[in-house]
Amino acid sequence: MPHSHHSHSGQFCGHALGSLEEVVSEAIKQRFEVYGLTEHVPRYRLEDLYPEERGLSLDDLSKQFLKFLNEAHRLKEVYAPQITLLVGLETEYITDDDLNHLQKLLQDNERRIDYIVGSVHHVSTIPIDFDRVTYKKALANFSGEEGVYILGNDQMERFLSAYFDAQHQLIRQFQPEIIGHLDLCRLYTPSLDLKQYPIAWGKLIRNIEEATRYGALFEINAAAFKKEGWTSPYPGKDVVALIQEKNGRFALSDDSHGPRTVGQYYLDVADYLVRVGITELWYLDRSLEPNHNGRCISPRRIEGDWRLHAFWKHREDERRGIAFQ
């Protein structure tokens, strides 16, 4: 303790800050024991590049990811006495072509990728986490025939169902070790009650059961706290309750986007874990035996009460110190 399984750096991600080594140094400073380095995989269509990437070619993005793997493994070796670094990736699923490329990427780098964070950021090829305008465009894509705009549950039901179907395809085909921000689909509607959409809710149940069956860990993603309207990490308490009902297991992620956000909101996460009754936490660790994907990584349960670890006491003391200033 503590651990994080999901992070980014400005060196290899256009919407993050700082170098990868600066992220690692901050994780060491904050007494992380295991820290996952997981840049986004490349995208393979020019129209899928974000504004900050417009000057890059598709070949640039592919080369950049390979440079990330090289640097991550260098840091893994250099800082081994101080921290366990895991080298992974965060998926993209925009079109089926992304999954074909991901399969090849994994095959070409099978000994260099410790694990996968399985995430979906697009619905019907449109980003759902870039900004509210683009999210509304993705939602409007589920209007009625001939552009008739559908209000209410039907349109949202279709949108959520498409998101969970994409997630299911990713889970079924690649069996990621970490399930990333499971309910990102309600980023801009944090109070949305997913149970009010029975078709989509059923698909979410299917996804959780599928991931639990092969032993995935569901990340508690602290980054949601910085999003407008969110008072919890991803996933929200209704989804956490469902994961608990299905005997799923949880792991921590800060989803940092630079050194300043390493470990950010972890005390808020700790409060949340207590409120929703999560008493067990898991993390990924190296293993001599390959897992279901042939990667030498496996989940391990944190022994004892995670709340008694010195990390949390140290962070709580810091919070009290700030309060007294």
Side-chain angles (χ1 to χ4, degrees), residues 17-79:
L17 298 170
S19 70
L20 194 62
E21 188 159 12
E22 287 171 334
V23 170
V24 170
S25 296
E26 183 62 26
I28 293 170
K29 180 181 176 182
Q30 293 191 30
R31 308 182 187 183
F32 276 81
E33 295 176 6
V34 175
Y35 203 82
L37 308 176
T38 56
E39 299 292 4
H40 293 281
V41 295
R43 270 140 295 121
Y44 300 97
R45 303 188 311 167
L46 286 174
E47 57 263 45
D48 297 325
L49 271 58
Y50 290 104
E52 66 269 16
E53 299 169 326
R54 294 305 186 199
L56 299 175
S57 68
L58 298 180
D59 189 53
D60 289 335
L61 284 180
S62 294
K63 289 178 179 177
Q64 178 176 274
F65 184 80
L66 295 180
K67 289 178 181 177
F68 155 67
L69 290 180
N70 291 338
E71 176 66 356
H73 279 279
R74 183 187 73 82
L75 297 173
K76 183 178 182 178
E77 182 176 345
V78 168
Y79 291 103

Side-chain angles (χ1 to χ4, degrees), residues 107-121:
Q107 290 171 352
D108 291 345
N109 298 277
E110 60 180 343
R111 297 186 181 277
R112 308 178 72 204
I113 295 171
D114 295 327
Y115 71 105
I116 296 175
V117 177
S119 302
V120 174
H121 306 91

Side-chain angles (χ1 to χ4, degrees), residues 4 6-20 22-24 26 35-40 50 52 90 92 119 121 129 181 184 219 221-224 226-227 234 253-265:
S4 177
H6 184 169
S7 67
H8 304 278
S9 72
Q11 187 174 355
F12 301 107
C13 175
H15 57 273
L17 298 170
S19 70
L20 194 62
E22 287 171 334
V23 170
V24 170
E26 183 62 26
Y35 203 82
L37 308 176
T38 56
E39 299 292 4
H40 293 281
Y50 290 104
E52 66 269 16
E90 185 178 15
E92 297 287 357
S119 302
H121 306 91
D129 63 342
H181 39 59
L184 185 71
E219 72 169 8
N221 186 313
K226 66 183 178 184
K227 306 299 183 181
Y234 307 115
S253 292
D254 60 16
D255 196 358
S256 64
H257 280 64
R260 289 190 176 184
T261 51
V262 169
Q264 191 176 35
Y265 300 112

